[in-house]
Structures are given as structure tokens and as C-alpha cells.
């Protein structure tokens, strides 16, 4: 029997409040190396806040986050190092309009990692090739479709060679006909063994691509399991209600 891959990302007792509003209520999560975890749930359930706490864009109110056994919620942690090791792809593309695709991808490599320009550009070109945009490295964001811009955003995170990739509804800002290219890129990353945590409203992608699906509601993980189990036979009434609503049944 093959041993399970090690846990690479772990959250324990994660809480986050904004003023009097508690958005995360003691979330526990363990993500194994090379695992794809999709997080689904209604708006306001804490999904995006969970991701932002996992990579320290938000500071948890309580609890701990460990990456590869190192507590990244510890005092005086090097946040630049954390964000190199945990790539993040947002709903919005957040590209610099005055920079080419290659310029956007290499900016952090040169400014944060202090790589020489030639080294950064070689790594940037490889990342753009990995997302199917080798021929667009000189193009500016205004010359790219929304799907292509999002794939540049993915390449920008990939170029840092992270241990884990987080995706916060990466297709929600795209026209429907552009969604497929981004999801195909993410499937390719999965096939290459990238560890991924994906907040998504694309139920078909979660059903097909995830190793495990989490359903969040009101700041808690209500239910989790393999896609066939969670979609086919959800145990919790709240999960059943959500899935019935999003499927239009």
C-alpha cells in the first residue's frame, strides 16, 4: 500500500474577524503534496478569506498556518519568502498595463528575488510557455483577451516556483467562452503535480479535477470528501441545499 504524500500546507484553528464579524470560525485544513483541493460554498462563507489567511495577505485573528512544517504565522516571518512559496491567482488579473506579458511575469523575479534580468527572463519565458502563451510574451495586457490575461497571472505565480498554488475564483471575471482556456491550464498544472487549493464556482471543474472538495458555509468547513461522494451523496443538509440551488434542480 502506497503511503499518502506528506502534508505540505496545514491550518489549525484558523479564525479571522473583521470588527465584530467573525468570518472564519476555527478552520482546520491539511493539504497533501500534489493534492488538488477545491473549495465551494455560497458567497460570504469565508472562502476567499481562508485563502488570504493561508498566504498571509490577511493576518489570522487566531490559529496557525504551516507550510512544509514551518509556521508562517509566527512573529517576524519573512512574508516575501512565504508569498514566493505560496503562489496566488486572483479573480482580477492585476497586471501592470504598461508592461508586456513577460515584464509582468518577471517583475517579482527581479525586484523580490533579485535575479539577474537574463535569468528572470528565461524563467519568465518558460512560465509563459507552460500556460500556452509563448507567442504572447511581448504583448501588453490591452492586446490580450481576459483568458490570456489570467493565464499571464498564473504564469507570474508559477515563475516563482511555489510549493503551493492558491486560486481565488480565477474564472469569475471572464466571459463564459474564455473560461475553458484557464481551466485547461489549471488541469495541465494538476497533471504536472502542482499542489493547488482552488476556490471556484465551476462545479464541473471541481467534480472533474479535484482530489477533494470542501464545502464551506458561515465560516466553517461543513463537509469534505472526494468529488464523487460530495456531489453524489452529500451528507449534510446545507450541502444538499447548496448543490441543488447551483444545479438549478
Amino acid at each position: 500500500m502506497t503511503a499518502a504524500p506528506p502534508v505540505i500546507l496545514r491550518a489549525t484553528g484558523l479564525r479571522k474577524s473583521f470588527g465584530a464579524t467573525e468570518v472564519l470560525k476555527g478552520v482546520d485544513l491539511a493539504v497533501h503534496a500534489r493534492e488538488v483541493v477545491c473549495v465551494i460554498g455560497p458567497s460570504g462563507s469565508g472562502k476567499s478569506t481562508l485563502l488570504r489567511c493561508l498566504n498571509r495577505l490577511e493576518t489570522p485573528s487566531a490559529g496557525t498556518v504551516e507550510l512544509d512544517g514551518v509556521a508562517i504565522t509566527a512573529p517576524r516571518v519573512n512574508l516575501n519568502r512565504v508569498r514566493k512559496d505560496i503562489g496566488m491567482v486572483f479573480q482580477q488579473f492585476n497586471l501592470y498595463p504598461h508592461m508586456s506579458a513577460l515584464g509582468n511575469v518577471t517583475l517579482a523575479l527581479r525586484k523580490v528575488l533579485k535575479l539577474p534580468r537574463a535569468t528572470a527572463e528565461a524563467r519568465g519565458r518558460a512560465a509563459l510557455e507552460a500556460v500556452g502563451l509563448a507567442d504572447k510574451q511581448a504583448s501588453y495586457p490591452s492586446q490580450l483577451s481576459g483568458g490570456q490575461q489570467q493565464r499571464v497571472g498564473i504564469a507570474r505565480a508559477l515563475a516563482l516556483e511555489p510549493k503551493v498554488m492558491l486560486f481565488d475564483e480565477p474564472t469569475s471575471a471572464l466571459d463564459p467562452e474564455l473560461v475553458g482556456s484557464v481551466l485547461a491550464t489549471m488541469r495541465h498544472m494538476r497533471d504536472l503535480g502542482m499542489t493547488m487549493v482552488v476556490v471556484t464556482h465551476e462545479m464541473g471543474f471541481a467534480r472533474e479535477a479535484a482530489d477533494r472538495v470542501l464545502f464551506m458555509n458561515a465560516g466553517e468547513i461543513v463537509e469534505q470528501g472526494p468529488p464523487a461522494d460530495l456531489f453524489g451523496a452529500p451528507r449534510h443538509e446545507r450541502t444538499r441545499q447548496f448543490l441543488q440551488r447551483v444545479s438549478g434542480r
Side-chain angles (χ1 to χ4, degrees), residues 149-167:
Q149 290 184 58
Q150 187 61 291
R151 285 150 63 197
V152 172
I154 294 173
R156 177 176 54 192
L158 277 178
L160 293 168
E161 298 179 349
K163 297 178 179 179
V164 179
M165 286 279 286
L166 309 179
F167 294 83

Side-chain angles (χ1 to χ4, degrees), residues 24-248:
L24 296 180
K25 303 175 181 177
V27 171
D28 295 325
L29 173 63
V31 180
H32 293 267
R34 300 183 298 281
E35 185 179 23
V36 177
V37 176
C38 283
V39 185
I40 64 172
S43 297
S45 59
K47 305 184 300 296
S48 293
T49 300
L50 172 61
L51 289 194
R52 294 175 68 84
C53 285
L54 289 177
N55 83 336
R56 291 297 313 275
L57 282 174
E58 297 285 356
T59 299
S61 304
T64 60
V65 179
E66 296 179 16
L67 176 67
D68 219 2
V70 176
I72 65 173
T73 42
R76 296 180 295 279
V77 69
N78 185 334
L79 289 180
N80 282 335
R81 171 58 58 182
V82 169
R83 290 171 189 151
K84 172 200 174 299
D85 288 337
I86 306 182
M88 183 86 170
V89 177
F90 300 89
Q91 298 178 31
Q92 302 297 329
F93 319 130
N94 298 324
L95 301 181
Y96 290 103
H98 63 287
M99 290 185 174
S100 67
L102 184 62
N104 271 279
V105 171
T106 59
L107 182 63
L109 298 176
R110 294 189 292 108
K111 299 298 186 182
V112 178
L113 299 190
K114 307 298 184 184
L115 295 181
R117 180 179 292 273
T119 303
E121 289 187 349
R123 194 187 286 189
R125 283 192 292 270
L128 286 168
E129 183 175 0
V131 300
L133 292 177
D135 60 335
K136 298 294 185 181
Q137 60 182 286
S139 299
Y140 288 83
S142 62
Q143 299 170 311
L144 301 172
S145 71
Q148 290 170 330
Q149 290 184 58
Q150 187 61 291
R151 285 150 63 197
V152 172
I154 294 173
R156 177 176 54 192
L158 277 178
L160 293 168
E161 298 179 349
K163 297 178 179 179
V164 179
M165 286 279 286
L166 309 179
F167 294 83
D168 188 7
E169 298 201 10
T171 61
S172 65
L174 299 178
D175 292 333
E177 66 269 21
L178 301 177
V179 168
S181 65
V182 173
L183 296 183
T185 297
M186 293 168 67
R187 290 186 187 95
H188 178 63
M189 292 168 58
R190 172 203 63 192
D191 293 342
L192 294 176
M194 174 61 72
T195 306
M196 299 159 60
V197 182
V198 184
V199 169
T200 185
H201 61 274
E202 297 285 346
M203 297 299 134
F205 176 80
R207 186 188 295 268
E208 173 203 340
D211 297 298
R212 180 162 44 116
V213 179
L214 313 182
F215 172 68
M216 286 190 71
N217 188 64
E220 299 176 309
I221 296 175
V222 173
E223 184 171 350
Q224 59 181 299
D229 293 350
L230 190 135
F231 287 108
R235 299 185 305 274
H236 197 282
E237 177 60 27
R238 184 68 187 89
T239 313
R240 288 193 289 271
Q241 292 172 353
F242 174 78
L243 292 174
Q244 287 170 358
R245 189 168 70 249
V246 298
S247 67

Side-chain angles (χ1 to χ4, degrees), residues 1-42:
M1 186 174 178
T2 304
V7 171
I8 193 167
L9 182 64
R10 184 187 300 275
T12 305
L14 210 57
R15 294 181 177 273
K16 179 63 182 178
S17 296
F18 296 98
T21 303
E22 190 174 32
V23 179
L24 296 180
K25 303 175 181 177
V27 171
D28 295 325
L29 173 63
V31 180
H32 293 267
R34 300 183 298 281
E35 185 179 23
V36 177
V37 176
C38 283
V39 185
I40 64 172

